[in-house]
Amino acid sequence: NAGVTQTPKFQVLKTGQSMTLQCAQDMNHNSMYWYRQDPGMGLRLIYYSASEGTTDKGEVPNGYNVSRLNKREFSLRLESAAPSQTSVYFCASSVLLGRGETQYFGPGTRLLVL
Amino acid sequence: DAKTTQPPSMDCAEGRAANLPCNHSTISGNEYVYWYRQIHSQGPQYIIHGLKNNETNEMASLIITEDRKSSTLILPHATLRDTAVYYCIVRVAQDNNNDMRFGAGTRLTVKP
């Protein structure tokens, strides 16, 4: 049981390049999330998916697109990377039980846009 | 979601209990108290959560005051590996469409 996995761990892009960040979870969770964390700051929600086939914008969605490929996988795409998107990206998944929802996070992808 | 207030930093001696406070005076009746921690640029790690009763698991204990306006996370025997930023989050837990709003947290340093 690997939990939440993310690829790649590190990436360097030039301004204008595109890339897709991959996330997968093996906990059979319905909901998945993409956050970004800038240096010295808390996490901010980019997009989330409450269930397979649905996605919704979070606090900072501009410049990103997402795909909930199936229940396990939730990808984040940068179509034209900008230096302002330099950040650490975390994927999370969650399950809603009787005692409330708990989110579990992946190890993160460190992205540098030059 | 209710706002939380935590001290920016705390120190604790290795082997001693670490008690991390959190104030959430505007908490609503249906909001849970969650604790996460983040160890140096790793992904946030879930620790514990509760509604009104005290909770304990293999990592920590959560003490919530009777009026629910504050809580304390207790790491019973802190180790150097517990050095991290600890986040107290208060949120409605019935709806799994909500994100976790991480504030500044408390930077706990465990010293030898």
Side-chain angles (χ1 to χ4, degrees), chain B residues 11-64:
Chain B
D11 291 341
C12 177
E14 187 179 19
R16 304 295 293 271
N19 297 285
L20 291 89
C22 180
N23 287 321
H24 31 79
S25 58
T26 59
I27 191 171
S28 300
N30 61 348
E31 289 181 315
Y32 284 72
V33 180
Y34 286 82
W35 283 86
Y36 281 76
R37 72 181 182 184
Q38 191 170 24
I39 298 173
H40 188 56
S41 300
Q42 296 180 20
Q45 179 187 21
Y46 166 78
I47 301 173
I48 199 168
H49 77 286
L51 183 62
K52 55 184 177 181
N53 296 323
N54 297 338
E55 302 286 346
T56 295
N57 63 20
E58 65 279 4
M59 290 183 67
S61 295
L62 173 61
I63 308 299
I64 302 174

Side-chain angles (χ1 to χ4, degrees), chain A residues 33 37 99 101 103 110, chain B residues 34 36 41 49 91 96:
Chain A
Y33 307 79
Q37 185 175 33
R99 287 188 61 246
E101 178 215 6
Q103 291 191 14
R110 284 147 186 78
Chain B
Y34 286 82
Y36 281 76
S41 300
H49 77 286
R91 65 188 295 271
N96 64 355

Side-chain angles (χ1 to χ4, degrees), chain A residues 29-40:
Chain A
H29 289 172
N30 287 324
S31 296
M32 298 186 73
Y33 307 79
W34 276 106
Y35 292 86
R36 63 176 285 175
Q37 185 175 33
D38 299 324

